């Protein structure tokens, strides 16, 4: 009935979709197994992509040749570039999306990929022979052979939904949990744990009074995620809205605490620190008399509204009564209540930096099974697992991104070396080289790598070369074009910038904090004409390079110095007991996690700088 596949991907969420697409586009024959073909690429929680640090990840996925950016662009209803008031290292693109269109677009993208087959069923067992996976077994007892397997099970592994004192099995609302797989993996020697996440109620937008809320429009000149010109910024956008809870809302919610599964100990899993439920917020931040609520439309042609900021697992009657005390929600009609969900995950310290498991060859984990939270974090892991699964079975080198090359590299390095005991979420603060890892230069950092893999198309590479050429030309012209005081001092005075006393280059002017590309073009018609020959992306890139050049250079040198430790390779079967000077904690961690380099070793929790020095000297001998 089934052929032998190169790669089987289990789960069709964000991680599974990217894994299947990547492996297939590189040439592998892929089977995507999902329990429900109608929920491929489902946005289980908020209908949005990107945001702080997450937007950088989506652009990195796109630069490598993944699909999340394209799917987001084609289904967006609003675009905003967050943190524009801060430096470019903090700028983060975010889209509001049409939930149904997003899922539909992902399915269409995969169905148009010739090497992807589909099968709707539950996988209950990983087939293993001589320490290597050889396929999967389904609930119907069907065994499907494969050279490698990627598990992207999301919140479905023994998923349990909580609403007040009620609980029942499920991986998502109205969808059953996946059973049997965790127990089989534990029997193979894997360590598992439990995590928790939650989602807010959905309401009927026709029942809300938007006059009591603050309107949140999209950007006046919206952008997009993908570097390809096959997607376009939105020609029209839907607004989101902002309102706030109040003391009456909090008092009403507190009445349900005696029936809260979280406060009564019925939930054992650890929840996301940076996306707490509303009951957790009012409990932990009792001094605050209000919390922000984002009112987000679910799409172009639906009245359904996502109540962002009101995630809860309290009884549905408590949820509803408290919600009607929020300004604008007095007559709200609820479509479905919020709930919490517990699920199994596998501590990611059991993985290699390729996302292949250490215990079983050719078995990969990606997404929430590794303890992460968020569509973007899952998608980039799926992409990397799909790439490496294909490379491994074709005897190609592993594809690993450094911390200085991508947020994707930071995320995977954090997971594998430090692990996580709570749902991991990406922030700009997690990246020590965030000036290098900006959203605007993701293509400059990664597209050549994606093209070498066979993922990024020739069209992408040609666009990159055009951008690089344009950038180099513009930077040269900015530094070589000089302006006299009488030409620009009047314009400088209008923007409260100091006059010049001698001939200055445009580059020198751009280094002033109050002057950007837009301002400098207004100073003289020759500048406007010069910069106007280049695209907005190239002009913006040039401004960033000019303004932040010393910081970029300093960070690059720091990265090169620290990453020199990665030149010291450690063999997988290295006997740490031979190095007597190592601390006992370091020896224990190193035996378990088996780092491949001194650099990776240095980032493992519990390994001290002294341990790193000892190993460096030992290997040097």
């Amino acid at each position: 009935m089934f052929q032998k596949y190169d790669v089987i991907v289990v789960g069709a969420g964000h991680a599974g979709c990217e894994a299947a697409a990547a492996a297939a586009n590189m040439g592998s024959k892929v089977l995507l197994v999902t329990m429900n073909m109608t929920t491929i690429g489902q946005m289980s929680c908020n209908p949005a992509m990107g945001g702080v640090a997450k937007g950088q990840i989506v652009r990195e996925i796109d630069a490598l040749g993944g699909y999340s950016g394209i799917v987001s662009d084609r289904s967006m209803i609003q675009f905003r570039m967050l943190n524009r008031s801060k430096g470019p290292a903090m700028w983060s693109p975010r889209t509001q999306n049409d939930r149904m269109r997003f899922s539909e677009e992902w399915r269409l993208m995969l169905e148009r990929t010739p090497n992807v087959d589909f099968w709707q069923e539950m996988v209950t067992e990983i087939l293993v022979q001589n320490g290597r996976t050889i396929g999967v077994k389904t609930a119907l007892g069907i065994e499907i052979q494969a050279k490698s397997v990627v598990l992207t099970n999301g919140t479905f592994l023994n998923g349990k939904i909580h609403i007040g004192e009620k609980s029942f099995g499920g991986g998502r609302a109205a969808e059953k949990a996946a059973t049997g797989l965790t127990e089989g993996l534990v029997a193979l020697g894997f360590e598992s744990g439990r995590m928790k996440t939650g989602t807010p109620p959905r309401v009927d937008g026709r029942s809300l009074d938007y006059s009591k809320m603050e309107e949140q429009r999209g950007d006046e000149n919206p952008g997009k995620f993908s570097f390809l010109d096959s997607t376009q910024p939105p020609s029209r956008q839907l607004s989101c809205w902002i309102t706030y809870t109040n003391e009456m809302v909090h008092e009403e919610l507190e009445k349900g605490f005696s029936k809260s599964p979280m406060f009564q100990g019925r939930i054992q899993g650890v929840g996301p620190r940076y996306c707490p439920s509303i009951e957790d917020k009012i409990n932990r931040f009792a001094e605050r008399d209000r919390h922000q609520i984002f009112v987000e439309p679910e799409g172009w042609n639906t009245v359904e509204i996502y109540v962002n900021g009101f995630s809860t697992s309290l009884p549905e009657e408590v949820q509803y009564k408290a919600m009607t005390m929020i300004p604008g929600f007095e007559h709200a009609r609820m479509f479905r209540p919020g709930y919490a969900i517990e699920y199994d995950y596998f501590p990611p310290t059991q993985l290699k930096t390729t996302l292949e498991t250490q215990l079983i060859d050719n078995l990969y984990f990606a997404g929430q099974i590794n303890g992460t939270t968020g569509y973007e974090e899952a998608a980039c892991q799926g992409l990397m697992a799909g790439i490496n699964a294909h490379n491994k079975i074709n005897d190609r080198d592993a594809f690993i991104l450094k911390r200085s090359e991508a947020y994707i590299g930071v995320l995977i390095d954090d997971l594998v070396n430090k692990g996580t005991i709570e749902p991991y979420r990406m922030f700009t603060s997690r990246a020590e080289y965030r000036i290098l890892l900006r959203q605007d230069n993701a293509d400059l950092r990664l597209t050549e790598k994606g093209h070498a893999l066979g993922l990024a198309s020739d069209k992408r590479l040609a666009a990159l070369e055009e951008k690089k050429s344009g950038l180099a030309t513009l930077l040269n012209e900015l530094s070589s074009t000089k302006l006299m005081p009488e030409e620009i001092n009047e314009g400088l005075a209008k923007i409260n910038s100091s006059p010049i006393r001698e001939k200055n280059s445009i580059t020198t002017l751009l280094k002033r904090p109050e002057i950007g590309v837009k301002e400098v073009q207004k100073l003289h018609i020759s500048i406007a004409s010069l910069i106007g020959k280049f695209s907005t992306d190239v002009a913006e890139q040039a401004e960033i390079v000019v303004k932040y050049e010393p910081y970029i250079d300093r960070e690059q040198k720091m990265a090169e110095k620290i990453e020199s430790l990665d030149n010291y390779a450690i063999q997988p079967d290295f006997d740490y007991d031979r190095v007597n000077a190592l601390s006992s904690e370091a020896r224990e961690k190193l035996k378990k996690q088996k780092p491949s380099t001194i650099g990776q070793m240095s980032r493992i929790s519990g390994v001290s700088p002294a341990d790193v020095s000892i190993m460096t000297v030992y290997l040097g001998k």
Side-chain angles (χ1 to χ4, degrees):
M1 181 176 175
F2 289 96
Q3 66 180 79
K4 182 175 182 179
Y5 286 91
D6 295 315
V7 181
I8 291 176
V9 177
V10 181
H14 300 260
C17 288
E18 287 288 4
N25 285 327
M26 291 172 73
S28 283
K29 188 63 180 174
V30 176
L31 179 67
L32 180 59
V33 185
T34 173
M35 294 198 296
N36 189 345
M37 288 279 290
T38 64
T39 56
I40 289 173
Q42 177 87 324
M43 292 180 131
S44 303
C45 204
N46 63 320
M49 288 290 284
V52 177
K54 293 168 175 279
Q56 283 86 330
I57 290 176
V58 177
R59 296 216 97 191
E60 289 175 355
I61 292 170
D62 183 76
L64 285 167
Y67 286 165
S68 287
I70 296 170
V71 171
S72 298
D73 288 350
R74 289 179 178 170
S75 61
M76 82 165 91
I77 60 175
Q78 187 193 90
F79 180 92
R80 294 179 68 221
M81 184 68 77
L82 307 183
N83 291 332
R84 271 287 192 181
S85 61
K86 300 179 181 178
M90 300 295 288
W91 297 352
S92 302
R94 183 181 190 272
T95 60
Q96 282 294 138
N97 294 84
D98 184 310
R99 184 189 299 279
M100 289 182 285
R101 280 284 301 114
F102 186 94
S103 180
E104 179 188 34
E105 191 60 43
W106 250 124
R107 178 162 175 167
L108 291 173
M109 294 285 279
L110 291 168
E111 288 184 352
R112 291 168 185 155
T113 305
N115 279 338
V116 176
D117 289 346
F118 303 86
W119 183 248
Q120 179 172 292
E121 206 190 334
M122 182 193 300
V123 168
T124 56
E125 186 180 342
I126 302 299
L127 302 176
V128 176
Q129 190 175 85
N130 299 322
R132 180 186 300 269
T133 184
I134 58 168
V136 301
K137 186 175 182 179
T138 71
L140 288 176
I142 301 170
E143 294 189 357
I144 310 173
Q145 303 293 310
K147 297 176 183 177
S148 62
V149 175
V150 182
L151 294 184
T152 69
N153 302 83
T155 59
F156 282 78
L157 291 179
N158 290 325
K160 189 175 184 180
I161 292 173
H162 296 268
I163 304 175
E165 295 180 304
K166 304 164 189 172
S167 63
F168 46 91
R172 193 161 47 206
E175 295 184 59
K176 64 182 180 180
T179 56
L181 195 53
T182 294
E183 292 74 14
L185 290 170
V186 170
L188 289 170
F190 287 97
E191 173 192 348
S192 72
R194 293 285 276 177
M195 280 191 176
K196 166 249 175 187
T197 189
T199 194
R202 284 18 171 225
V203 301
D204 187 337
R206 297 168 299 183
S207 65
L208 303 182
D209 183 353
Y210 295 101
S211 68
K212 296 181 179 179
M213 306 179 195
E214 302 168 20
E215 187 173 9
Q216 188 180 50
R217 297 176 180 270
D219 286 351
E220 187 174 341
N221 297 302
K224 63 191 186 80
F225 278 120
S226 183
F227 291 98
L228 286 175
D229 58 12
S230 58
T231 68
Q232 299 298 322
S235 56
R236 63 189 182 102
Q237 302 182 71
L238 289 180
S239 291
C240 296
W241 305 81
I242 298 173
T243 184
Y244 297 87
T245 63
N246 51 52
E247 291 180 350
M248 288 192 302
V249 175
H250 299 178
E251 288 172 6
E252 192 60 39
L253 289 169
E254 287 172 355
K255 293 177 182 177
F257 280 10
S258 62
K259 296 181 180 179
S260 164
M262 183 173 67
F263 294 140
Q264 299 307 314
R266 291 190 294 278
I267 294 179
Q268 302 301 315
V270 181
R273 178 189 301 264
Y274 303 103
C275 189
S277 64
I278 187 64
E279 58 263 36
D280 199 16
K281 287 180 190 176
I282 63 176
N283 184 56
R284 285 165 50 191
F285 308 108
E287 73 282 359
R288 297 190 185 179
D289 56 11
R290 70 174 192 170
H291 293 283
Q292 202 168 42
I293 301 295
F294 294 92
V295 181
E296 301 177 346
E298 294 263 3
W300 291 111
N301 302 309
T302 179
V303 297
E304 190 170 359
I305 294 292
Y306 181 88
V307 190
N308 195 343
F310 205 78
S311 175
T312 179
S313 59
L314 291 171
E316 62 273 21
E317 66 274 10
V318 175
Q319 295 183 31
Y320 178 72
K321 190 170 182 181
M323 190 169 60
T324 58
M325 296 176 178
I326 298 172
F329 279 74
E330 292 85 356
H331 304 290
R333 291 189 294 272
M334 186 188 286
F335 280 174
R336 48 186 162 133
Y339 61 85
I341 181 167
E342 274 188 294
Y343 55 94
D344 293 335
Y345 85 106
F346 291 81
T349 50
Q350 300 171 97
L351 302 176
K352 302 174 185 176
T353 48
T354 58
L355 298 181
E356 183 184 22
T357 66
Q358 293 184 21
L359 277 175
I360 305 296
D361 285 348
N362 293 5
L363 176 63
Y364 296 78
F365 290 173
Q368 283 179 286
I369 192 173
N370 290 335
T372 59
T373 182
Y375 308 145
E376 305 81 4
E377 290 89 342
C380 73
Q381 290 175 72
L383 177 73
M384 297 298 283
I387 291 169
N388 282 308
H390 172 85
N391 280 355
K392 177 81 181 290
I393 61 177
N394 287 283
D395 297 321
R396 296 182 183 177
D397 291 340
F399 182 64
I400 298 167
L401 292 170
K402 299 176 184 176
R403 295 180 72 91
S404 60
E405 291 178 322
Y407 272 91
I408 297 172
V410 174
L411 181 145
I412 293 175
D413 190 76
D414 278 354
L415 291 175
V416 172
N417 296 317
K418 300 175 183 176
T420 186
I421 58 172
E422 61 185 41
Y424 178 101
R425 178 178 179 177
M426 179 52 71
F427 290 100
T428 50
S429 58
R430 293 191 189 274
E432 60 269 48
Y433 308 118
R434 53 187 172 272
I435 297 177
L436 301 180
L437 308 183
R438 307 183 310 277
Q439 58 83 31
D440 60 272
N441 70 351
D443 55 341
L444 296 172
R445 290 184 277 120
L446 299 174
T447 292
E448 287 178 346
K449 294 179 185 293
H451 186 265
L453 288 167
L455 271 183
S457 64
D458 291 342
K459 186 177 181 181
R460 280 187 183 276
L461 189 65
L464 173 68
E465 294 300 335
E466 184 179 345
K467 180 177 178 179
K468 288 169 68 175
S469 174
L471 179 60
T473 302
L474 178 55
L475 288 171
N476 181 60
E477 294 199 23
L478 292 176
S479 62
S480 61
T481 303
K482 313 285 187 184
L483 296 163
M484 299 298 291
E486 59 269 23
E487 292 179 296
I488 61 170
N489 275 347
E490 184 178 344
L492 289 172
K494 289 180 180 178
I495 58 174
N496 296 318
S497 191
S498 302
I500 61 172
R501 298 179 180 177
E502 56 187 23
K503 189 185 291 186
N504 267 213
S505 69
I506 303 175
T507 295
T508 303
L509 294 170
L510 275 175
K511 289 183 178 179
R512 296 186 177 190
E514 71 276 10
I515 296 180
V517 165
K518 291 180 181 177
E519 289 75 23
V520 81
Q521 288 184 83
K522 296 175 183 177
L523 295 178
H524 197 273
I525 190 169
S526 64
I527 306 176
S529 176
L530 187 160
I531 296 176
K533 294 184 295 183
F534 299 87
S535 70
T536 303
D537 286 348
V538 168
E540 185 177 85
Q541 192 85 59
E543 177 184 333
I544 292 169
V545 170
V546 169
K547 284 187 179 296
Y548 295 91
E549 185 177 20
Y551 303 100
I552 293 170
D553 288 346
R554 184 175 64 188
E555 225 170 64
Q556 188 64 56
K557 288 172 183 174
M558 187 189 308
E560 290 169 0
K561 181 179 179 181
I562 292 175
E563 286 168 4
S564 65
L565 291 173
D566 285 320
N567 295 327
Y568 290 85
I570 305 174
Q571 295 303 312
D573 58 353
F574 184 85
D575 182 7
Y576 292 98
D577 288 327
R578 286 160 41 195
V579 189
N580 296 324
L582 285 174
S583 68
S584 58
E585 182 181 5
R587 190 178 290 111
E588 180 184 334
K589 293 286 181 69
L590 295 171
K591 285 179 181 179
K592 182 178 180 181
Q593 294 183 226
K594 300 177 182 176
S596 58
T597 67
I598 291 288
Q600 185 184 348
M601 170 189 168
S602 70
R603 297 186 291 274
I604 294 175
S605 178
V607 175
S608 70
D611 294 317
V612 173
S613 297
I614 289 164
M615 276 295 292
T616 303
V617 171
Y618 189 92
L619 292 177
K621 290 178 180 179

